[in-house]
Amino acid sequence: MFTGLVEEIGVVAELNPHDETGGTSLTITLPASSKLLEDAQLGDSISINGVCLTATSIVHTPVPSFKVGIAPETLRLTNLGSLAKDSRVNLERAVRADTRMGGHFVQGHVDTTAEIVGVAQDGNALTFRFAPKSLDVLKYVVYKGYVALDGTSLTITKVNDAEGWFEVMLIAYTQEKVVVAQKKPGDTVNVEVDVLAKYAEKSMAGYLSAQSEILVKPILEEMVENLVAQAMGGHS
């Protein structure tokens, strides 16, 4: 579990599609002054551009770095496969019990990717417009709700279901702390919608289904009784 508050920006040292395990691995280097890996252990979860991945190797000197494995399903659902050497990525360690929840509940389970279709200056802020690859996620995207883009917790400022896009605004401070601010139209981001919206949808679906049974059952019983009565009357 993560908060969507980026702790560090790392740099891709290598994306190896044929590593020693036969799979794909990603190696990230950090600034020499970084404290991200100080208490990190093998097997820890680290969010890379919003994707929860497991640290399989950790190096502290001379330059802090770590390696993760990327499953084929992750490559299909995210934009991690498009990373190249020197690409910058958002990083966040998994939350602890005493962590302040400054963003929102982010699982690191990406739902889809979205293409940047517009960037507009608004004072010293930037408004980004995104068109998700899977339009199904838009039912969870609401005005003033949360969304995680490349692992960054952001507030939705506008959404258009008919045209298939939503917008967020990055203030000047955020622009300096996350990789999304440096992206351009045509680039993609990983999208994770608010998981609480999914739980609410499932709970409501169960409630409505139960209510439907309560309301419909007496009507069906009455219809059956009427049909039986008509049939009995026809044979008398």
Side-chain angles (χ1 to χ4, degrees):
M1 183 71 72
F2 307 90
T3 68
L5 298 184
V6 175
E7 293 185 273
E8 191 89 68
I9 291 181
V11 176
V12 174
E14 180 186 37
L15 178 66
N16 186 351
H18 306 290
D19 65 11
E20 65 276 8
T21 69
T24 299
S25 63
L26 177 64
T27 302
I28 305 294
T29 59
L30 301 167
S33 60
S34 174
K35 300 183 182 301
L36 189 82
L37 300 177
E38 276 191 346
D39 59 350
Q41 305 292 325
L42 292 180
D44 280 359
S45 295
I46 300 177
S47 171
I48 301 177
N49 274 3
V51 184
C52 178
L53 296 167
T54 301
T56 59
S57 174
I58 298 173
V59 175
H60 295 283
T61 59
V63 178
S65 69
F66 67 97
K67 181 188 292 187
V68 298
I70 307 177
E73 177 71 359
T74 302
L75 291 171
R76 286 190 288 268
L77 285 176
T78 73
N79 62 12
L80 293 186
S82 65
L83 293 174
K85 182 176 171 57
D86 296 329
S87 293
R88 300 167 78 241
V89 292
N90 292 327
L91 302 174
E92 183 189 355
R93 292 169 294 181
V95 299
R96 302 185 313 187
D98 60 348
T99 302
R100 285 188 176 184
M101 184 55 66
H104 73 282
F105 293 113
V106 178
Q107 294 180 295
H109 301 162
V110 172
D111 294 294
T112 189
T113 57
E115 180 182 346
I116 299 173
V117 294
V119 182
Q121 192 83 34
D122 189 354
N124 66 348
L126 291 175
T127 295
F128 281 76
R129 178 174 294 184
F130 300 92
K133 181 178 180 181
S134 173
L135 295 179
D136 289 344
V137 301
L138 284 175
K139 62 183 176 181
Y140 306 114
V141 177
V142 297
Y143 176 63
K144 295 302 181 184
Y146 289 118
V147 67
L149 302 178
D150 277 348
T152 306
S153 175
L154 294 165
T155 302
I156 297 151
T157 57
K158 190 178 294 185
V159 58
N160 190 313
D161 294 324
E163 296 183 8
W165 55 260
F166 63 90
E167 293 181 345
V168 301
M169 182 176 288
L170 302 184
I171 63 173
Y173 177 84
T174 305
Q175 292 172 38
E176 299 175 356
K177 302 296 182 181
V178 302
V179 299
V180 177
Q182 279 68 54
K183 293 192 173 186
K184 309 297 182 185
D187 292 340
T188 63
V189 296
N190 293 319
V191 179
E192 180 186 333
V193 297
D194 190 353
V195 67
L196 297 182
K198 295 181 180 180
Y199 285 128
E201 178 189 45
K202 187 167 185 178
S203 297
M204 184 58 68
Y207 173 78
L208 292 176
S209 176
Q211 291 300 307
S212 175
E213 182 177 348
I214 293 173
L215 295 173
V216 172
K217 186 176 180 180
I219 297 175
L220 291 176
E221 289 177 343
E222 184 177 354
M223 289 175 63
V224 171
E225 289 176 359
N226 290 337
L227 289 172
V228 169
Q230 292 176 14
M232 293 295 290
H235 287 90
S236 61

